[in-house]
């Protein structure tokens, strides 16, 4: 069953399909169309957005209704006005050779009398949003007492938007012996309860990966400057020493570039994208399956078939163009009953997409900070301690022990441990001690966040001002407003952070008098605007900075770790030839002794 002809559609519809240029039915269409044409029962179909659900219910409905009758026979409920119009359009296209067909859209925000008039002219099919539909029923502008087919499209979304009561109400005006077809991307409890209460032994079809809405994946995002993306990726990897991950990039080029860079920086990484030969792709996938590659950098298309069960992390190096794709990505982890983490590295310009993704996956993201250098050093050190603790002794070493013992004759156990761990720790420490804070605050601009890293000195004043988002200020508008009011330059007002009804900002200390004087008895748009010196010295990041200083960080400015290279410490030069030591030898030998347990030994 690979063509539309095979699905049992009539010639009018097949002709329209040819005109539309559809050559092959999608999976949900292949499954739903024959079923709906042949039987009169109810159906629950689960399929992601963009899988062609409209045609999956549209064609069977068009084939089954009687265009010679003017009675309303089909009702399609959809969550939004846009979808309602889109479905109406599609239905008209699908039914362009069905003479006498009348499909009418019914939705809010447009004249109800015009819509009622169109319905009166004889609409066999009504496509409606629940709110407007309910309204029209209560005003007796529509009659759905004789419908034979009811479609609940994007059912999860409709329930999510609070339409449950409206839907219940609408369905109560329809005959009980109609067929109900429910389409949804996911099957939360509410959808299941609709299916249970309003449908009779529905057939069920599922398209795609059932794992996709699993609850054992947690979602995190990290806000950084776009230029720090790669540094952020490395830190996420370093903060998770046992990571086994798929890293998603948007383009083949970026995929290749990021993989190459990771390999050069000493990570066990590989690239997977469409420009590789089948043979190359097989090699990479095999290495990944055997855990020889810890970071598989992939495009969406190339990663589609990845069915590796123990992926610990999915990292969205860039968000996909189509946010729906995110579901496919995060579904690569948390499989086979395991837990997984899906991380997104975002820049400020894309951070609003996180909200849209939350709506699609129906789960909340946790905003997290990219770990700072000391945190990573600690994680790495503890991970090493753990590995050493669990290592089985290799007695091949015994024959060298006399010499080694001689060398350490005067070293205490305590010292020995410290020296031993310093080997690893110093390498991470040397790299990370210059590391800057990569996190960007959501409410302030790029420039502000950079300013904060100049140093921890308290040479600026933080102010409270009693206007905020409610008054129409975002940080940029407030900054402009303050600059204009105080007649200051571009950089004189910084760390502007707007809240709902108040805000904060900074200036250098010298400007304090001027600022406070200006805003004494100051009125804007008829209300008093009050500015005070704030106790809050500058938000969380300044505190981070202090913590960094205490740990030996100097709060260097950006760029200091943009080109990580190992320093020439004794240890580094000696160990450089073990650079190629990798998970490969570790997994082959089946034990993790010290030298092998460090997967990444090359320049960082
Ligand atoms: P969904 O409702 O599952 O999100 P749609 O029904 O809106 O998906 O279809 C998505 C897009 O795919 C539409 O532009 C539609 O015209 C197109 N489409 C649907 N079925 C096919 C097909 N068999 N071949 C090619 N394109 C199709
Ligand atoms: Mg749809």
């Amino acid at each position: 069953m690979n063509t539309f002809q095979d699905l049992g559609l009539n010639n009018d519809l097949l002709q329209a399909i040819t005109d539309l240029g559809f050559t092959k039915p999608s999976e949900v269409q292949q499954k739903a169309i024959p079923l709906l044409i042949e039987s009169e029962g109810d159906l629950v179909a689960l399929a992601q957005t963009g899988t062609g659900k409209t045609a999956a219910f549209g064609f069977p409905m068009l084939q089954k209704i009687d265009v010679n009758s003017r009675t309303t026979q089909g009702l399609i409920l959809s969550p939004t006005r846009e979808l309602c119009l889109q479905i109406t359009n599609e239905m008209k296209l699908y039914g362009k050779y069905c003479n006498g067909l009348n499909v009418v859209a019914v939705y809010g925000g447009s004249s109800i009398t015009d819509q009622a008039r169109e319905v009166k002219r004889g609409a066999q099919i009504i496509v409606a949003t629940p709110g407007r539909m309910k309204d029209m029923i209560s005003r007796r502008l529509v009659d759905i007492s004789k419908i034979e087919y009811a479609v609940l499209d994007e059912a999860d979304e409709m329930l999510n938007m609070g339409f449950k009561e409206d839907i219940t109400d609408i369905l109560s005006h329809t005959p009980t012996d109609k067929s109900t077809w429910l389409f949804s991307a996911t099957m939360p409890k509410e959808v299941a309860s609709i299916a249970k209460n309003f449908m009779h032994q529905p057939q069920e079809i599922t398209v795609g990966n059932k794992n996709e809405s699993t609850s054992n994946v947690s979602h995190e995002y990290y806000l950084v400057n776009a230029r720090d993306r790669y540094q952020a990726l490395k830190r996420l990897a370093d903060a998770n020493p046992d990571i086994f991950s798929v890293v998603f990039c948007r383009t083949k080029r970026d995929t290749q570039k990021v993989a190459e860079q990771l390999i050069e920086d000493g990570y066990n990484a590989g690239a997977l994208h469409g420009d590789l030969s089948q043979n190359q792709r097989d090699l990479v996938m095999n290495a990944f399956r055997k855990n020889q590659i810890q970071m598989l950098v992939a495009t969406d298309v190339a990663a589609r078939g990845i069915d590796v069960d123990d992926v610990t992390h999915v990292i969205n190096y860039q968000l996909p163009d189509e946010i729906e794709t995110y579901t496919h990505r995060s579904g690569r982890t948390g499989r086979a009953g395991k837990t997984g983490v899906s991380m997104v590295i975002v820049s400020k310009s894309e951070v609003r997409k996180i909200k849209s993704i939350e709506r699609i996956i129906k789960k909340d993201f946790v905003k997290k900070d990219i770990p700072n250098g000391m945190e990573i050093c600690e994680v790495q050190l503890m991970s090493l301690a753990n590995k050493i603790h669990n290592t089985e002794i290799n007695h091949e070493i015994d024959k060298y022990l006399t010499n080694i013992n001689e060398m350490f004759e005067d070293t205490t156990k305590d010292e020995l441990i410290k020296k031993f761990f310093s080997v690893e720790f110093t390498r991470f420490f040397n790299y990370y001690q210059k590391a800057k804070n990569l996190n960007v605050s959501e409410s302030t601009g790029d420039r502000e966040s950079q300013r904060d890293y100049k140093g921890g000195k308290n040479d600026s004043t933080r102010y409270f001002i009693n206007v905020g988002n409610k008054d129409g200020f975002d940080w940029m508008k407030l900054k402009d407003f303050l600059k204009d009011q105080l007649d200051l330059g571009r950089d004189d007002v910084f760390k502007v952070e707007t809240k709902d009804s108040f805000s904060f900002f900074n200036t250098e200390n010298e400007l304090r008098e001027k600022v406070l004087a200006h805003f004494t008895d100051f009125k804007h748009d008829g209300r008093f605007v009050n500015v005070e010196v704030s106790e809050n010295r500058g938000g969380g990041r300044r505190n981070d900075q202090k913590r960094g200083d205490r740990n030996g960080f100097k709060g260097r400015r950006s760029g200091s770790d943009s080109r990580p290279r190992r320093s020439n410490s004794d240890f580094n030069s000696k160990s450089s030839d073990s650079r190629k030591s990798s998970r490969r030898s570790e997994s082959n030998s089946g034990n993790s002794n010290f030298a092998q347990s460090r997967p990444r030994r090359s320049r960082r």
Side-chain angles (χ1 to χ4, degrees), residues 35 121 284 340 362 455:
L35 213 140
R121 278 181 27 216
V284 171
K362 302 184 174 62

Side-chain angles (χ1 to χ4, degrees), residues 197-323:
N197 297 332
F198 295 95
M199 299 169 78
H200 306 286
Q201 299 174 338
Q203 302 229 43
E204 241 186 84
I205 59 178
T206 304
V207 168
N209 186 351
K210 277 188 188 159
N211 259 329
E212 271 163 4
S213 51
T214 50
S215 54
N216 42 3
V217 178
S218 51
H219 303 266
E220 302 173 350
Y221 76 97
Y222 296 83
L223 189 57
V224 302
N225 287 315
R227 62 170 176 276
D228 290 333
R229 226 178 258 283
Y230 179 70
Q231 298 302 325
L233 172 66
K234 286 207 320 180
R235 284 208 207 169
L236 291 175
D238 285 346
N240 295 281
D242 295 317
I243 196 168
F244 181 55
S245 60
V246 185
V247 178
F248 283 98
C249 295
R250 210 158 16 209
T251 63
K252 294 181 221 173
R253 208 164 142 258
D254 286 347
T255 303
Q256 183 65 29
K257 220 171 66 189
V258 169
E260 276 174 13
Q261 187 71 56
L262 284 171
I263 292 165
E264 188 179 323
D265 287 343
Y267 296 82
N268 294 324
L272 189 71
H273 56 73
D275 282 351
L276 302 172
S277 70
Q278 186 60 46
N279 191 34
Q280 285 171 311
R281 285 202 299 247
D282 289 347
L283 281 175
V284 171
M285 271 316 293
N286 281 337
F288 187 59
R289 283 210 172 84
K290 290 182 191 155
N291 287 28
Q292 290 161 356
I293 285 176
Q294 274 189 293
M295 303 176 81
L296 180 70
V297 190
T299 57
D300 288 297
V301 177
R304 196 140 293 169
I306 295 179
D307 52 356
V308 177
D309 275 343
D310 41 6
V311 171
T312 59
H313 294 74
V314 162
I315 303 183
N316 294 263
Y317 184 76
Q318 294 144 335
L319 278 174
D321 287 329
E322 300 279 332
I323 50 175

Side-chain angles (χ1 to χ4, degrees), residues 84-100:
C84 177
L85 285 167
Q86 203 177 302
I87 294 168
T88 308
N89 257 339
E90 293 266 312
M91 292 297 282
K92 285 180 179 165
L93 286 173
Y94 302 163
K96 68 195 254 201
Y97 296 110
C98 305
N99 275 334

